Amino acid sequence: MRFSTAALLLLLASCLSPGHSILEAHYTSLKCRCSRVTSSFVSPSLIERIQVTPPGNGCPKSEVVIWTKSKKVLCMNPHAMWLQRVLQFLRSMSSTPPAPVSKRRAA
């Protein structure tokens, strides 16, 4: 009986994929978009689109991807000072105050 229990445990252990535990141990995820990032300056006039992805289930780090007007895709360092200023400016531009509500007078 002990032999069959040991054989069953050995069979179960051999079915576990070793690759999955290695990826978890090194906090490596296959769902991160950026493998390398750059801090080099990109002129805001050349930027067509910016995508900021916070850390989540798929990738343990924050990612900033910039699409330029010349169709280049760049992964940026989210901690670069120039990028932080551009993102802060864009947030201030998108947060516009609500339109005033006109009150009707009761007649």
Short mmCIF file of all heavy atoms in Angstrom, two decimals, residues 33-43 47 61-68 72-84 87:
data_model
loop_
_atom_site.label_atom_id
_atom_site.label_comp_id
_atom_site.label_asym_id
_atom_site.label_seq_id
_atom_site.Cartn_x
_atom_site.Cartn_y
_atom_site.Cartn_z
N ARG A 33 4.21 43.95 -22.18
CA ARG A 33 4.37 44.38 -23.56
C ARG A 33 5.80 44.83 -23.84
O ARG A 33 6.33 44.62 -24.91
CB ARG A 33 3.39 45.51 -23.85
CG ARG A 33 3.45 45.96 -25.27
CD ARG A 33 2.41 47.00 -25.55
NE ARG A 33 2.52 47.38 -26.94
CZ ARG A 33 1.54 47.38 -27.78
NH1 ARG A 33 0.35 47.07 -27.38
NH2 ARG A 33 1.72 47.71 -29.03
N CYS A 34 6.42 45.48 -22.87
CA CYS A 34 7.74 46.07 -23.07
C CYS A 34 8.83 45.20 -22.46
O CYS A 34 8.84 44.97 -21.26
CB CYS A 34 7.80 47.46 -22.43
SG CYS A 34 6.59 48.61 -23.09
N SER A 35 9.75 44.75 -23.29
CA SER A 35 10.89 44.01 -22.76
C SER A 35 12.04 44.96 -22.45
O SER A 35 12.81 44.73 -21.53
CB SER A 35 11.34 42.94 -23.74
OG SER A 35 11.70 43.54 -24.97
N ARG A 36 12.16 46.04 -23.22
CA ARG A 36 13.17 47.08 -22.97
C ARG A 36 12.48 48.43 -23.00
O ARG A 36 11.58 48.66 -23.79
CB ARG A 36 14.26 47.05 -24.04
CG ARG A 36 15.15 45.84 -23.94
CD ARG A 36 16.30 45.93 -24.89
NE ARG A 36 15.79 45.97 -26.26
CZ ARG A 36 16.54 46.24 -27.31
NH1 ARG A 36 17.80 46.50 -27.18
NH2 ARG A 36 16.01 46.25 -28.52
N VAL A 37 12.94 49.34 -22.14
CA VAL A 37 12.38 50.69 -22.10
C VAL A 37 13.49 51.70 -22.33
O VAL A 37 14.67 51.41 -22.14
CB VAL A 37 11.68 50.98 -20.75
CG1 VAL A 37 10.48 50.10 -20.56
CG2 VAL A 37 12.63 50.87 -19.60
N THR A 38 13.09 52.89 -22.74
CA THR A 38 14.03 53.98 -22.97
C THR A 38 13.56 55.21 -22.22
O THR A 38 12.36 55.38 -21.99
CB THR A 38 14.21 54.28 -24.47
OG1 THR A 38 15.17 55.31 -24.63
CG2 THR A 38 12.90 54.69 -25.12
N SER A 39 14.50 56.07 -21.87
CA SER A 39 14.16 57.34 -21.22
C SER A 39 14.41 58.52 -22.13
O SER A 39 14.28 59.66 -21.71
CB SER A 39 15.01 57.51 -19.95
OG SER A 39 14.69 56.53 -19.01
N SER A 40 14.78 58.25 -23.38
CA SER A 40 15.11 59.34 -24.31
C SER A 40 13.89 60.20 -24.59
O SER A 40 12.75 59.72 -24.65
CB SER A 40 15.70 58.78 -25.60
OG SER A 40 14.76 57.94 -26.22
N PHE A 41 14.13 61.49 -24.79
CA PHE A 41 13.07 62.47 -25.00
C PHE A 41 12.43 62.30 -26.37
O PHE A 41 13.11 62.10 -27.37
CB PHE A 41 13.65 63.88 -24.86
CG PHE A 41 12.64 64.96 -25.11
CD1 PHE A 41 11.69 65.26 -24.16
CD2 PHE A 41 12.64 65.66 -26.30
CE1 PHE A 41 10.75 66.26 -24.37
CE2 PHE A 41 11.70 66.66 -26.52
CZ PHE A 41 10.76 66.96 -25.56
N VAL A 42 11.11 62.38 -26.39
CA VAL A 42 10.34 62.39 -27.64
C VAL A 42 9.52 63.67 -27.63
O VAL A 42 8.78 63.93 -26.68
CB VAL A 42 9.41 61.16 -27.74
CG1 VAL A 42 8.56 61.22 -28.99
CG2 VAL A 42 10.20 59.87 -27.68
N SER A 43 9.67 64.46 -28.66
CA SER A 43 8.95 65.74 -28.72
C SER A 43 7.44 65.49 -28.71
O SER A 43 6.95 64.63 -29.45
CB SER A 43 9.34 66.49 -29.99
OG SER A 43 8.56 67.66 -30.11
N ILE A 47 4.22 62.92 -30.97
CA ILE A 47 3.44 61.86 -30.32
C ILE A 47 2.02 61.84 -30.87
O ILE A 47 1.34 62.84 -30.90
CB ILE A 47 3.42 62.06 -28.79
CG1 ILE A 47 4.83 61.94 -28.23
CG2 ILE A 47 2.49 61.04 -28.14
CD1 ILE A 47 4.94 62.26 -26.76
N LYS A 61 4.72 45.30 -13.61
CA LYS A 61 5.27 46.65 -13.64
C LYS A 61 4.39 47.58 -14.48
O LYS A 61 3.62 47.14 -15.32
CB LYS A 61 6.69 46.63 -14.20
CG LYS A 61 6.78 46.06 -15.60
CD LYS A 61 8.20 45.95 -16.06
CE LYS A 61 8.24 45.32 -17.45
NZ LYS A 61 9.58 45.20 -17.96
N SER A 62 4.51 48.86 -14.21
CA SER A 62 3.78 49.88 -14.97
C SER A 62 4.47 50.08 -16.31
O SER A 62 5.70 50.09 -16.37
CB SER A 62 3.76 51.18 -14.18
OG SER A 62 3.12 52.18 -14.91
N GLU A 63 3.69 50.23 -17.38
CA GLU A 63 4.26 50.40 -18.72
C GLU A 63 3.65 51.62 -19.40
O GLU A 63 2.47 51.90 -19.26
CB GLU A 63 3.99 49.17 -19.58
CG GLU A 63 4.67 47.94 -19.08
CD GLU A 63 4.45 46.74 -19.98
OE1 GLU A 63 3.30 46.51 -20.39
OE2 GLU A 63 5.42 46.06 -20.29
N VAL A 64 4.50 52.34 -20.15
CA VAL A 64 4.05 53.48 -20.94
C VAL A 64 4.50 53.23 -22.38
O VAL A 64 5.69 53.09 -22.65
CB VAL A 64 4.64 54.82 -20.43
CG1 VAL A 64 4.19 55.96 -21.31
CG2 VAL A 64 4.23 55.06 -18.99
N VAL A 65 3.53 53.17 -23.29
CA VAL A 65 3.82 52.93 -24.70
C VAL A 65 3.41 54.17 -25.48
O VAL A 65 2.31 54.70 -25.29
CB VAL A 65 3.06 51.69 -25.23
CG1 VAL A 65 3.38 51.43 -26.69
CG2 VAL A 65 3.37 50.47 -24.39
N ILE A 66 4.32 54.64 -26.34
CA ILE A 66 4.06 55.82 -27.16
C ILE A 66 4.08 55.42 -28.62
O ILE A 66 5.00 54.74 -29.08
CB ILE A 66 5.13 56.91 -26.90
CG1 ILE A 66 4.97 57.47 -25.50
CG2 ILE A 66 5.07 58.01 -27.93
CD1 ILE A 66 5.96 58.55 -25.14
N TRP A 67 3.06 55.86 -29.36
CA TRP A 67 3.01 55.71 -30.80
C TRP A 67 3.33 57.08 -31.40
O TRP A 67 2.67 58.07 -31.07
CB TRP A 67 1.63 55.27 -31.27
CG TRP A 67 1.34 53.84 -31.02
CD1 TRP A 67 1.52 52.80 -31.88
CD2 TRP A 67 0.80 53.26 -29.82
NE1 TRP A 67 1.13 51.62 -31.29
CE2 TRP A 67 0.69 51.88 -30.04
CE3 TRP A 67 0.42 53.78 -28.59
CZ2 TRP A 67 0.21 51.01 -29.08
CZ3 TRP A 67 -0.05 52.92 -27.62
CH2 TRP A 67 -0.16 51.55 -27.86
N THR A 68 4.32 57.14 -32.28
CA THR A 68 4.68 58.41 -32.91
C THR A 68 3.91 58.56 -34.22
O THR A 68 3.32 57.61 -34.73
CB THR A 68 6.19 58.49 -33.19
OG1 THR A 68 6.54 57.48 -34.14
CG2 THR A 68 7.00 58.33 -31.92
N LYS A 72 6.15 54.66 -35.24
CA LYS A 72 7.06 53.92 -34.38
C LYS A 72 6.37 53.68 -33.04
O LYS A 72 5.62 54.51 -32.56
CB LYS A 72 8.34 54.71 -34.15
CG LYS A 72 9.26 54.76 -35.33
CD LYS A 72 10.42 55.66 -35.05
CE LYS A 72 11.64 54.87 -34.69
NZ LYS A 72 12.82 55.74 -34.46
N VAL A 73 6.63 52.53 -32.45
CA VAL A 73 6.10 52.19 -31.14
C VAL A 73 7.28 52.16 -30.17
O VAL A 73 8.23 51.42 -30.38
CB VAL A 73 5.38 50.83 -31.15
CG1 VAL A 73 4.85 50.49 -29.78
CG2 VAL A 73 4.24 50.85 -32.17
N LEU A 74 7.21 52.98 -29.12
CA LEU A 74 8.30 53.10 -28.16
C LEU A 74 7.81 52.76 -26.76
O LEU A 74 6.76 53.26 -26.34
CB LEU A 74 8.86 54.52 -28.16
CG LEU A 74 9.35 55.07 -29.50
CD1 LEU A 74 9.64 56.55 -29.38
CD2 LEU A 74 10.59 54.32 -29.93
N CYS A 75 8.56 51.96 -26.06
CA CYS A 75 8.28 51.68 -24.65
C CYS A 75 9.14 52.63 -23.83
O CYS A 75 10.36 52.64 -23.95
CB CYS A 75 8.63 50.24 -24.32
SG CYS A 75 7.48 49.06 -25.03
N MET A 76 8.49 53.44 -23.01
CA MET A 76 9.17 54.48 -22.27
C MET A 76 9.31 54.09 -20.80
O MET A 76 8.49 53.35 -20.26
CB MET A 76 8.41 55.80 -22.37
CG MET A 76 8.16 56.26 -23.79
SD MET A 76 9.63 56.39 -24.82
CE MET A 76 10.54 57.63 -23.98
N ASN A 77 10.33 54.64 -20.16
CA ASN A 77 10.51 54.49 -18.73
C ASN A 77 9.44 55.34 -18.04
O ASN A 77 9.42 56.56 -18.21
CB ASN A 77 11.91 54.94 -18.32
CG ASN A 77 12.16 54.84 -16.85
OD1 ASN A 77 11.30 54.42 -16.08
ND2 ASN A 77 13.35 55.23 -16.44
N PRO A 78 8.54 54.74 -17.27
CA PRO A 78 7.46 55.52 -16.66
C PRO A 78 7.95 56.52 -15.61
O PRO A 78 7.22 57.41 -15.22
CB PRO A 78 6.54 54.48 -16.04
CG PRO A 78 7.33 53.24 -15.97
CD PRO A 78 8.41 53.33 -16.98
N HIS A 79 9.21 56.42 -15.19
CA HIS A 79 9.75 57.31 -14.17
C HIS A 79 10.57 58.46 -14.76
O HIS A 79 11.12 59.26 -14.01
CB HIS A 79 10.59 56.53 -13.17
CG HIS A 79 9.83 55.42 -12.52
ND1 HIS A 79 8.80 55.65 -11.65
CD2 HIS A 79 9.94 54.08 -12.64
CE1 HIS A 79 8.30 54.49 -11.25
NE2 HIS A 79 8.97 53.52 -11.84
N ALA A 80 10.65 58.56 -16.10
CA ALA A 80 11.40 59.65 -16.73
C ALA A 80 10.69 60.98 -16.43
O ALA A 80 9.48 61.09 -16.56
CB ALA A 80 11.49 59.42 -18.24
N MET A 81 11.48 61.97 -16.02
CA MET A 81 10.90 63.26 -15.61
C MET A 81 10.14 63.95 -16.74
O MET A 81 9.05 64.49 -16.53
CB MET A 81 12.00 64.19 -15.08
CG MET A 81 12.45 63.82 -13.68
SD MET A 81 11.12 63.76 -12.48
CE MET A 81 10.66 65.46 -12.39
N TRP A 82 10.67 63.94 -17.96
CA TRP A 82 9.99 64.62 -19.05
C TRP A 82 8.66 63.95 -19.34
O TRP A 82 7.66 64.62 -19.64
CB TRP A 82 10.88 64.66 -20.30
CG TRP A 82 11.00 63.34 -21.00
CD1 TRP A 82 11.95 62.40 -20.81
CD2 TRP A 82 10.11 62.81 -21.99
NE1 TRP A 82 11.71 61.31 -21.60
CE2 TRP A 82 10.59 61.53 -22.35
CE3 TRP A 82 8.95 63.27 -22.60
CZ2 TRP A 82 9.97 60.74 -23.29
CZ3 TRP A 82 8.34 62.47 -23.54
CH2 TRP A 82 8.85 61.22 -23.89
N LEU A 83 8.61 62.63 -19.22
CA LEU A 83 7.37 61.91 -19.47
C LEU A 83 6.34 62.20 -18.38
O LEU A 83 5.15 62.36 -18.66
CB LEU A 83 7.64 60.41 -19.57
CG LEU A 83 6.44 59.53 -19.91
CD1 LEU A 83 5.87 59.90 -21.27
CD2 LEU A 83 6.84 58.07 -19.88
N GLN A 84 6.79 62.29 -17.14
CA GLN A 84 5.89 62.64 -16.04
C GLN A 84 5.27 64.01 -16.26
O GLN A 84 4.08 64.21 -16.00
CB GLN A 84 6.64 62.61 -14.70
CG GLN A 84 7.06 61.22 -14.26
CD GLN A 84 5.85 60.35 -13.96
OE1 GLN A 84 4.86 60.81 -13.42
NE2 GLN A 84 5.94 59.10 -14.35
N LEU A 87 2.63 63.72 -19.08
CA LEU A 87 1.42 63.05 -18.59
C LEU A 87 0.63 63.96 -17.65
O LEU A 87 -0.60 64.00 -17.70
CB LEU A 87 1.78 61.74 -17.89
CG LEU A 87 2.33 60.64 -18.79
CD1 LEU A 87 2.77 59.45 -17.96
CD2 LEU A 87 1.31 60.24 -19.84
#
